[in-house]
Amino acid sequence: MQICRFSTAAQVGQAAAALIAAQLLRKPDSVLGLATGSSPIPTYQELIRLYQAGVLDFSHMVSYNLDEYVGIPVDHVCSYHRFMQDNLFSHVNVRPECTHVPDGNAADLAAAAAAYDEAIRAAGGIDVQVLGIGRNGHIGFNEPADVFTWGCHVVNLTESTIEANTRFFASSADVPRQAVSLGVGAIMDARQVLLIATGSDKADAVAAAVHGDIDPHTPASILQAHHQVIFLLDEAAAAKL
Ligand code: F6R
């Protein structure tokens, strides 16, 4: 586990984008595992800047997002499908058919989740997985639990996550109570993991993930067992290390 500290969230974004850019330059048809939420936004902005500057080409890239809410339309302003369109995909030359986000509206959610895992395997696995971290230590929507869940699955969101995500919705009552999330299996199988954490509200979760026991009650702690993981942190998120 490598820890990289930066003064600001903007620097964290630039560093994460530099690592993703290096991956795309080395292997244009890389399979990227992508995250939503506030943490990767500066990273995506920097990737867009590099694309607009003619440095990066996304036309061979394949992506699989970590998660999606259950039961909201894909074009809902808070869906993760929409987030990816607004914050990255519509600004670069990625081929729409090469981007994937779990289906939160499938008639058979479990079957769709299993098919998502299978599609990632068929694509050769994830080269670089981008992660944020929840205040409760979740990665993707792998919430604190008694066991790690390996496969893509439907998850009941915890009160902590619903409260944290209320900022994106009109009220907490509007936050979906379930999501579809990659399990820790596909994340641990990724050839490289970049975890982005910024802000003081992530400091406890980061410290528990880095220094605590590997424990499903802090899902991110499993990354201690990954062979190639980099935590990209600003001062505030690194404050308790
Ligand atoms: C998002 C995801 C979540 C977020 C986490 C942090 O796709 O899987 O695990 O990374 O909730 O969210 P932010 O970055 O909004 O603090």
Side-chain angles (χ1 to χ4, degrees):
M1 180 176 273
Q2 187 184 347
I3 310 286
C4 294
R5 296 167 178 243
F6 301 89
S7 301
T8 67
Q11 290 167 343
V12 171
Q14 285 171 347
L19 290 166
I20 295 166
Q23 173 69 33
L24 284 175
L25 289 166
R26 260 198 314 268
K27 185 183 175 206
D29 59 348
S30 290
V31 178
L32 301 185
L34 298 177
T36 59
S38 309
S39 306
I41 288 178
T43 305
Y44 296 152
Q45 288 172 341
E46 178 65 7
L47 288 174
I48 292 166
R49 192 189 69 76
L50 289 169
Y51 167 71
Q52 288 171 344
V55 177
L56 285 183
D57 173 16
F58 290 81
S59 65
H60 300 286
M61 177 201 97
V62 176
S63 70
Y64 286 88
N65 262 76
L66 279 168
D67 41 21
E68 177 58 288
Y69 290 115
V70 167
I72 59 174
V74 291
D75 60 352
H76 186 288
V77 70
C78 293
S79 84
Y80 288 170
H81 281 79
R82 176 77 178 270
F83 176 98
M84 291 310 301
Q85 287 304 325
D86 291 351
N87 289 286
L88 182 63
F89 297 155
S90 67
H91 302 281
V92 298
N93 64 337
V94 66
R95 286 176 295 158
E97 66 275 20
C98 293
T99 67
H100 307 86
V101 179
D103 184 354
N105 291 298
D108 184 341
L109 288 168
Y116 197 72
D117 269 337
E118 187 45 45
I120 292 174
R121 267 193 295 275
I126 292 168
D127 290 304
V128 176
Q129 176 66 58
V130 177
L131 295 177
I133 183 171
R135 295 187 304 206
N136 62 4
H138 72 213
I139 47 176
F141 275 136
N142 292 279
E143 297 283 40
D146 292 339
V147 290
F148 289 109
T149 302
W150 219 248
C152 188
H153 59 291
V154 179
V155 59
N156 296 322
L157 300 182
T158 62
E159 279 310 314
S160 151
T161 298
I162 291 165
E163 184 204 320
N165 288 7
T166 295
R167 69 191 195 279
F168 299 114
F169 290 82
S171 75
S172 86
D174 294 318
V175 182
R177 268 36 189 177
Q178 287 190 312
V180 182
S181 177
L182 272 192
V184 295
I187 295 170
M188 290 301 284
D189 285 344
R191 287 179 265 284
Q192 184 177 29
V193 175
L194 307 179
L195 185 142
I196 299 168
T198 54
S200 57
D201 60 335
K202 301 296 174 65
D204 286 322
V206 167
V210 173
H211 292 312
D213 293 336
I214 296 181
D215 179 343
H217 293 101
T218 303
S221 63
I222 198 162
L223 297 172
Q224 292 174 29
H226 194 281
H227 61 286
Q228 182 66 267
V229 56
I230 307 179
F231 276 45
L232 299 146
L233 309 172
D234 69 358
E235 291 292 355
K240 296 193 175 168
L241 289 181

